Amino acid sequence: MGQDANEERAGSSAEAGVKATTGVIVASVAMFNPIAGVALGALKEYVDAPIMQLIERERARREERAARALQAGSEEAERSLDRLVQTIESSPDLLALMSETVQAAMETPLVEKIVALGRCLGRGVRDEATVDAERLRVRGLAGIESPEVKLLEVLSQETHPTPEGWFQERWPGWRRPELLMELPGFAKVLDASIARLTAEGIVMDDGIGRLPQNDDDPLEMWVLTDFGIDCLSLLRAVSPES
């Protein structure tokens, strides 16, 4: 009985620590994004109650996501949340990594992305020599949401067979026709999704410089970059229970 009470108190203390730390970090992120730290009290005079409830729920969700990312960072760094925060506070580079991590985590509903972001933070805390690389990973992950995950999963698969008589058995990359066969709902948004991932260095056109075989032969051959493979592996590494 005594042990159960101690465990319950320890759990409550840990939860309170997470909430307190999250509040501080959400406040710090608000310096970079005023929307994240919107003063709800000031809004109540101008916003209808139902809309206010939606705003409050969204703020609570954002704080929960930030807390989850921080917890994942704590686990990855193999140190308590307090020690994690103390280490971050001692380094401007880690503070920048933390800010980008929490901001990206608060803006996504994808649990695997939230945990992957937190693990990037934790790895940076564990080894400050990797901070710059982890910031790039955080920025890459920040540009990935559910539509991009679907596209990355297709790009990671074996490409379609080439026509009979072709010198290769399979296309060296993914062309637009084959991508739309796998993702028929992307007909009007594929260019936007590709552009988003290209800007982050996650995918590249491996068909640049290739000579078309005929007028109907698409030139583009989209493939994952090494960085893209790395980002996708971070998302895949998160189990559903995480």
Side-chain angles (χ1 to χ4, degrees):
M1 191 74 177
Q3 183 178 354
D4 291 343
N6 288 336
E7 290 178 353
E8 184 175 347
R9 282 196 297 271
S12 298
S13 176
E15 182 178 357
V18 170
K19 289 181 178 178
T21 303
T22 301
V24 172
I25 291 181
V26 169
S28 71
V29 171
M31 292 189 299
F32 300 93
N33 183 351
I35 295 175
V38 63
L40 298 182
L43 286 176
K44 290 180 180 177
E45 185 177 348
Y46 306 102
V47 180
D48 291 339
I51 297 176
M52 196 66 214
Q53 290 175 358
L54 288 175
I55 293 173
E56 289 176 336
R57 285 197 205 104
E58 177 56 22
R59 181 181 174 117
R61 278 193 290 265
R62 291 168 70 88
E63 291 183 354
E64 288 171 4
R65 294 165 185 167
R68 188 153 198 174
L70 290 170
Q71 192 60 49
S74 173
E75 292 168 2
E76 182 68 27
E78 298 180 341
R79 60 189 70 189
S80 68
L81 195 58
D82 285 343
R83 279 195 61 210
L84 181 83
V85 173
Q86 289 171 5
T87 304
I88 290 172
E89 288 175 340
S90 68
S91 166
D93 289 337
L94 287 175
L95 280 169
L97 173 61
M98 178 276 294
S99 178
E100 292 186 38
T101 297
V102 172
Q103 185 64 62
M106 288 195 299
E107 293 177 354
T108 182
L110 293 178
V111 173
E112 60 266 38
K113 175 175 169 179
I114 294 168
V115 176
L117 287 164
R119 288 177 175 171
C120 289
L121 174 62
R123 294 193 304 198
V125 169
R126 195 173 61 217
D127 181 2
E128 285 199 52
T130 68
V131 169
D132 289 339
E134 297 304 340
R135 285 186 73 180
L136 289 172
R137 290 188 180 94
V138 166
R139 291 174 187 178
L141 289 168
I144 297 174
E145 291 297 340
S146 181
E148 285 74 34
V149 171
K150 293 176 182 177
L151 180 55
L152 292 182
E153 290 289 358
V154 172
L155 292 173
S156 70
Q157 298 170 13
E158 192 172 39
T159 57
H160 283 213
T162 54
E164 186 176 352
W166 193 265
F167 69 95
Q168 288 178 294
E169 291 186 1
R170 294 184 175 274
W171 295 111
W174 282 88
R175 308 183 311 162
R176 184 183 184 87
E178 285 75 36
L179 282 174
L180 293 179
M181 286 175 62
E182 301 292 332
L183 300 166
F186 276 53
K188 295 184 178 180
V189 298
L190 181 61
D191 291 339
S193 190
I194 287 284
R196 185 181 182 94
L197 294 174
T198 302
E200 297 296 341
I202 293 172
V203 304
M204 62 176 288
D205 182 1
D206 203 36
I208 293 176
R210 189 179 67 87
L211 295 176
Q213 300 300 306
N214 54 61
D215 292 340
D216 297 323
D217 184 14
L219 292 176
E220 75 271 11
M221 293 285 178
W222 297 107
V223 297
L224 289 177
T225 63
D226 289 341
F227 181 63
I229 293 171
D230 187 24
C231 288
L232 182 57
S233 68
L234 279 169
L235 295 170
R236 285 174 167 173
V238 180
S239 65
E241 294 79 19
S242 292

